[in-house]
Amino acid sequence: MSLAVTALAVALALAACASGSARAAEGDGVQVTLLLYSGRPNPTFTLTAEQAERVTQLLAEALPDPDFRGGSVLPSILGYNGLLVRGGAQDLAVYGGRVEIQGREGKRIVSDGGALESFLLEAAAQNKALDAEQLRFIQTSRDKQQS
Amino acid sequence: MRRRAFYASAALLAIAVGACCSIPTYTPAFWNSNIQIQWDNNCYNYSNNKRTDTFAQPGRAAGAMYTTLECNNVRTAAVADGLVAVAGPNNCPKKECTLALVVDPGWDYHWYRRDQNGMWTHKPGPTPATNLDNSGNPIPNPETADRGGYTDFCGYLCSCSRSTEGNGSENIN
C-alpha cells in the first residue's frame, strides 16, 4: 500500500517537473497581446524563454520618462494601439517608443525608442501570431505614426 | 403577519429599484485606473456599462455570438443579449442608454454610448475610455465622428445601463 502511495507521489512530482520545464521553455507563460481590434478578441502568443529574456534585457536598457503626461501609453484610438505583455514579473503596455510598467510599486513609464515594440512585433511574426493582413495593418499604422 | 407583509413589500421594492435603468455619466476613472479593468473590458463592456473582465462579445452570453463582422450579424447578436434595436438616436425609452454600433467590414466592430450630457464616449479595446474621436474631437454625433476604418454605421440600440459605473443591467459576457 505504502509502495503504491510512494510511486504515485513520485509520478506526480515528475509530472510537475515536466510541466515546469515546459513553462520555462515558453518563457514562463509570458503572453503578448497585439492590440488591433476594439471589439473582437485580439491575437495573442506566448514568448519563448529566449524571447522573454530579451524583453527583460530591453527593459533594463530603457530610460525613465518623467516627461510623459497622460494616463496610459496606449492611445485611445480605433486602429493599432500597441501591445500588452502579461504573466512575467511585471505587466507591460508598449506603444510609440514608450513602455508602461505595472509592478508592485505601481506604474512607471520608460522610454526605449521603440526597441521593445519592434522586438515584440518581430517575435509575433516568428511565432506566426499574425496573418499577412494583420502584419500589413500594423506596418501601415506604424509608418503613419512615424511620418 | 404584518411584519411578513412588510418584508415582502420591501423585497419587491428592492427588486423594482434594482431593475430600473438609468443613463451613466462620463466617468473614465472607473475604467482607466486599474489595469485589469482597462485591459480586460472592451467597447461592448463600456457601452453597456458592464464590467465582466472577459472582453465581452455580442451574443456570447446568449449562446448566439456573431459569426461575421458586418452590421446585421453583430446587431442580431447584441439583440440576443437583450439590447433593443431602434430606428434613431432619440428612440430609446427615457431611462435607457442609447448605443451606436459601427463596423470595419470583415475586420472588427465598435460601440459608442451616449452619456447623461448628450455627448458620446467609447473605449477602443483595452485602451482607456475616452470622450474623443480619432481626430481628438468630442463626439456630439457618432455618425460624423472620425472612426478610422470603422466606416459602416450600423444604427442605434438601447441598453439598460446604470448610473453606477461598471454595473449595467444587460446580460453580456
Side-chain angles (χ1 to χ4, degrees):
Chain A
M1 181 68 175
S2 67
L3 182 65
V5 171
T6 307
L8 180 62
V10 170
L12 285 173
L14 287 173
C17 284
S19 162
S21 302
R23 276 176 59 82
E26 289 187 349
D28 280 334
V30 178
Q31 283 231 321
V32 178
T33 305
L34 298 117
L35 308 184
L36 311 180
Y37 307 126
S38 173
R40 66 188 278 205
N42 281 294
T44 64
F45 68 98
T46 303
L47 293 176
T48 64
E50 292 75 21
Q51 288 167 339
E53 180 59 31
R54 182 66 184 140
V55 168
T56 305
Q57 288 170 2
L58 287 169
L59 274 182
E61 292 166 12
L63 300 171
D65 189 348
D67 297 331
F68 177 75
R69 297 285 177 271
S72 171
V73 301
L74 304 176
S76 292
I77 55 169
L78 296 169
Y80 169 66
N81 307 114
L83 307 100
L84 303 178
V85 182
R86 304 174 94 169
Q90 299 156 317
D91 289 331
L92 312 173
V94 185
Y95 181 82
R98 289 192 169 99
V99 183
E100 183 180 319
I101 303 173
Q102 302 275 353
R104 285 190 191 131
E105 301 82 26
K107 179 173 78 176
R108 64 192 174 94
I109 308 289
V110 295
S111 185
D112 72 343
L116 182 55
E117 186 176 3
S118 295
F119 172 75
L120 291 170
L121 290 172
E122 281 170 26
Q126 282 171 11
N127 293 29
K128 298 187 173 19
L130 297 169
D131 62 29
E133 190 182 9
Q134 290 168 328
L135 275 170
R136 202 165 41 246
F137 179 78
I138 292 174
Q139 194 54 56
T140 306
S141 301
R142 294 192 84 201
D143 289 346
K144 278 186 194 164
Q145 181 195 332
Q146 284 159 5
S147 64
Chain B
M1 190 66 178
R2 268 188 191 168
R3 179 176 287 186
R4 186 175 292 174
F6 171 77
Y7 283 130
S9 304
L12 283 172
L13 184 64
I15 289 167
V17 168
C20 276
C21 309
S22 52
I23 297 175
T25 55
Y26 176 53
T27 314
F30 173 83
W31 301 95
N32 303 348
S33 48
N34 170 307
I35 60 162
Q36 184 174 19
I37 299 177
Q38 185 191 311
W39 292 1
D40 293 334
N41 291 278
N42 63 3
C43 56
Y44 194 50
N45 288 104
Y46 178 79
S47 61
N48 281 288
N49 193 15
K50 184 148 187 183
R51 175 189 175 185
T52 64
D53 296 348
T54 60
F55 224 69
Q57 298 299 308
R60 185 159 66 190
M65 207 167 112
Y66 61 89
T67 51
T68 63
L69 290 160
E70 49 93 22
C71 282
N72 284 340
N73 203 282
V74 180
R75 183 173 46 231
T76 299
V79 168
D81 279 341
L83 279 70
V84 177
V86 289
N90 301 313
N91 292 65
C92 288
K94 195 177 172 186
K95 290 191 172 180
E96 292 197 16
C97 186
T98 306
L99 313 190
L101 170 63
V102 299
V103 160
D104 182 338
W107 181 257
D108 191 22
Y109 63 84
H110 182 63
W111 294 85
Y112 297 84
R113 82 181 196 198
R114 186 165 61 189
D115 292 325
Q116 254 181 37
N117 65 357
M119 297 295 281
W120 295 78
T121 59
H122 63 143
K123 183 177 184 303
T127 74
T130 180
N131 58 354
L132 305 176
D133 70 7
N134 264 29
S135 295
N137 296 317
I139 309 170
N141 181 354
E143 294 183 47
T144 55
D146 182 348
R147 307 192 303 264
Y150 296 70
T151 51
D152 284 7
F153 191 86
C154 310
Y156 299 95
L157 292 93
C158 311
S159 172
C160 184
S161 189
R162 295 284 181 92
S163 54
T164 314
E165 209 64 27
N167 200 25
S169 299
E170 297 296 352
N171 182 29
I172 65 167
N173 189 22

